[in-house]
């Protein structure tokens, strides 16, 4: 059983997901001075243009105002929020796929333990319950039974138990 | 830290975010959960650096104006 369980988790590759929101840069690089040093003037008699040297032309000077910076700050926060949403969606998709792979092969408490170890905090207990296609209360009662029967040893440790119950929405 | 140094740090965080996204593409479901968790943290770090960069720009502007 364990071999099948491990093989399932390490087997199929996941379909690529687009993360355009996460790849978009939040800020632009600081202006770099592409103007050739004055030494060129004495060597060549005149200052060569950046184009003639095959260099990227210097960007136009940026006159940033406080309102520009405020706009930039809002943009960063907005982009970051999009990134969080994309990551949460990825977490839910990954959890659903992992649960689907694990469910025929492992008991519920084992799946929950694995989720607790690996899933990001972003994943709510309700999302886990939805992915498992069961009620949140059902997870709690199943875990309580597992704890009573000694199937889940970690629940006897208060800190771990709190984390676990946070996952499943008991408290 | 100067603006260039801070931007370099931001760029490193950006590279980490992109590397984790790349890793997601080929990971198995359970590995993916761990990567997503790391990605979440990397995004937060990148955001903090971007905001710090902006604050530095803002401080420089204030200095110029003073």
């Amino acid at each position: 059983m364990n071999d099948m369980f491990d093989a399932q988790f390490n087997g199929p590759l996941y379909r690529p997901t687009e993360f355009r929101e996460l790849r978009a840069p939040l800020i632009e690089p600081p202006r770099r001075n592409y103007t050739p040093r004055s030494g060129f003037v004495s060597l060549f008699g005149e200052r060569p243009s950046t184009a003639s040297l095959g260099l990227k032309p210097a960007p136009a000077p940026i006159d940033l105002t406080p309102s520009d910076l405020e706009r930039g700050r809002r943009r960063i926060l907005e982009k970051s929020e999009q990134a969080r949403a994309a990551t949460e969606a990825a977490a839910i998709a990954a959890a659903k796929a992992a649960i689907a792979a694990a469910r025929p092969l492992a008991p519920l408490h084992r799946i929950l333990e694995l989720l607790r170890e690996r899933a990001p905090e972003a994943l709510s207990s309700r999302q886990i319950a939805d992915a498992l296609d069961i009620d949140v209360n059902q997870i709690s009662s199943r875990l309580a039974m597992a704890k009573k029967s000694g199937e889940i040893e970690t629940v006897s440790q208060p800190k771990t138990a709190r984390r676990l119950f946070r996952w499943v929405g008991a408290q | 830290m100067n603006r260039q140094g801070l931007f370099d740090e931001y760029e490193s965080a950006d590279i980490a975010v992109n590397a984790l996204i790349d890793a997601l593409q080929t990971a198995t479901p359970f590995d993916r959960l761990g990567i997503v968790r790391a990605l979440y943290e990397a995004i937060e770090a990148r955001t903090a650096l971007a905001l710090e960069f902006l604050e530095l720009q803002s401080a420089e502007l204030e200095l110029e104006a003073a």
Side-chain angles (χ1 to χ4, degrees):
Chain A
M1 175 65 89
N2 277 344
D3 287 347
M4 280 175 69
F5 187 64
D6 291 339
Q8 190 71 29
F9 292 151
N10 295 313
L13 294 181
Y14 216 73
R15 276 183 63 79
T17 309
E18 287 191 14
F19 284 92
R20 277 194 299 267
E21 301 91 342
L22 277 74
R23 289 189 191 274
L26 296 178
I27 52 175
E28 296 301 322
R31 270 186 300 150
R32 288 189 168 89
N33 183 13
Y34 292 101
T35 310
R37 290 175 186 277
S38 56
F40 277 103
V41 179
S42 56
L43 278 172
F44 297 104
E46 62 177 317
R47 197 183 191 86
S49 69
T50 50
S52 69
L53 290 169
L55 298 173
K56 192 176 171 182
I62 304 167
D63 290 323
L64 283 176
T65 64
S67 65
D68 291 332
L69 291 174
E70 181 50 34
R71 259 203 306 278
R73 202 180 71 84
R74 278 204 303 269
R75 183 176 165 272
I76 288 171
L77 292 175
E78 192 181 305
K79 290 273 176 193
S80 297
E81 200 47 54
Q82 287 174 355
R84 282 190 201 104
T87 313
E88 283 172 17
I92 293 162
K96 282 183 177 176
I99 289 164
R103 203 160 189 206
L105 303 166
L108 180 64
H109 74 265
R110 174 77 179 124
I111 299 172
L112 290 168
E113 277 185 324
L114 284 165
L115 286 173
R116 186 204 66 206
E117 286 165 12
R118 302 200 193 188
E121 300 278 336
L123 201 61
S124 72
S125 55
R126 187 155 300 283
Q127 285 162 341
I128 292 175
D130 287 349
L132 284 163
D133 198 24
I134 54 176
D135 187 77
V136 171
N137 295 326
Q138 199 186 342
I139 300 179
S140 308
S141 60
R142 288 284 292 274
L143 277 174
M145 281 171 65
K147 184 189 172 189
K148 202 173 178 182
S149 67
E151 281 182 281
I152 304 175
E153 291 172 13
T154 52
V155 175
S156 62
Q157 298 164 14
K159 192 178 173 187
T160 312
R162 271 202 303 276
R163 287 179 61 204
L164 187 57
F165 281 120
R166 191 168 72 226
W167 272 105
V168 297
Q171 277 298 324
Chain B
M1 188 182 294
N2 65 19
R3 210 194 297 184
Q4 185 64 54
L6 196 54
F7 184 79
D8 290 345
E9 268 201 34
Y10 159 80
E11 211 164 34
S12 299
D14 194 51
I15 288 167
V17 167
N18 279 285
L20 286 166
I21 294 170
D22 290 341
L24 270 180
Q25 315 290 313
T26 52
T28 59
F30 263 86
D31 285 341
R32 205 162 183 222
L33 281 171
I35 295 169
V36 169
R37 173 182 256 179
L39 182 59
Y40 204 80
E41 286 165 11
I43 287 167
E44 295 302 310
R46 185 179 68 165
T47 301
L49 284 165
L51 288 172
E52 201 179 328
F53 180 82
L54 221 64
E55 274 173 25
L56 187 68
Q57 273 188 319
S58 185
E60 283 177 1
L61 271 182
E62 278 174 21
L63 268 177
E64 277 176 24

